Amino acid sequence: MKHRFVFLSIAISAVILFNTGSADAQSGEREYFMKKAHWGVGAQAGLMSGMGVGVRFHPLGRFGVQLAGGAIAGEKTMASVGFEGQFDLDWRNRSRFFALVGFGYYTNGEDELTVADGTWEEGKEDPRLQSPFRAGLGLAYEWDISNTLIFTGSIVFTYFSEGTFLPLPQVGLYYMFD
């Protein structure tokens, strides 16, 4: 009985010491997002929260925001703009796992079509996007691929304004600076 008590005491002490040492090691890994705010500029591609040039801001703590958008001009101008709110679930050094919520607006450059001004004929298909507004919620992981570059991949459950609901991927590549 005495040997069991000694063994149990040693085991409990070892667990406590391991957890304390582990917490100290993890605090060093988590300092990147806890020391100061970080900005990033890069490219975003996705059908929920904008496509094009992106800017992100991650203040101290677990929250971050991202704004992305862009336009392509040609015969018709196509554009998008979107916003994301991010909440860090876990991180190690500069890589992180986070939840996100966001929305976006997409256009294919078609104006309002009306019979009165002659831009639309009866029976002709409307060329405008059926779902210009999108909103979604998802999970993402961010890898630091160098000292300044971050690659982000996410799966976002996206609601389209015409009623469709789809899980869609998004990717981004950002240059992070302090």
Side-chain angles (χ1 to χ4, degrees), residues 17-78:
L17 288 173
F18 175 75
N19 284 340
T20 305
S22 166
D24 291 341
Q26 286 180 354
S27 69
E29 294 171 348
R30 295 175 183 251
E31 288 181 1
Y32 182 76
F33 294 107
M34 299 306 284
K35 280 185 175 178
K36 63 185 203 172
H38 300 278
W39 286 90
V41 176
Q44 167 82 11
L47 293 176
M48 193 274 296
S49 60
M51 190 175 303
V53 176
V55 176
R56 58 174 34 189
F57 176 64
H58 195 293
L60 294 176
R62 292 187 171 277
F63 291 98
V65 293
Q66 174 179 295
L67 180 65
I72 298 174
E75 190 174 307
K76 295 180 183 179
T77 301
M78 295 182 287

Side-chain angles (χ1 to χ4, degrees), residues 78-153:
M78 295 182 287
S80 72
V81 64
F83 175 82
E84 262 182 35
Q86 303 170 346
F87 179 76
D88 297 344
L89 301 171
D90 191 22
W91 65 79
R92 175 167 291 161
N93 294 324
R94 293 171 17 145
S95 296
R96 64 188 179 117
F97 176 62
F98 60 93
L100 63 98
V101 62
F103 60 88
Y105 175 76
Y106 292 73
T107 181
N108 63 355
E110 293 292 338
D111 294 328
E112 183 74 25
L113 302 177
T114 63
V115 175
D117 67 7
T119 58
W120 185 60
E121 300 169 14
E122 289 290 337
K124 187 177 177 185
E125 187 176 326
D126 189 347
R128 293 176 295 162
L129 289 179
Q130 292 180 6
S131 297
F133 295 100
R134 289 94 191 263
L137 137 82
L139 295 173
Y141 193 80
E142 192 166 87
W143 294 268
D144 59 336
I145 56 177
S146 75
N147 286 337
T148 56
L149 288 178
I150 299 285
F151 175 78
T152 304

Side-chain angles (χ1 to χ4, degrees), residues 4-21:
R4 288 183 190 169
F5 179 75
V6 170
F7 178 73
L8 186 60
S9 299
I10 291 172
I12 290 172
S13 299
V15 168
I16 290 170
L17 288 173
F18 175 75
N19 284 340
T20 305

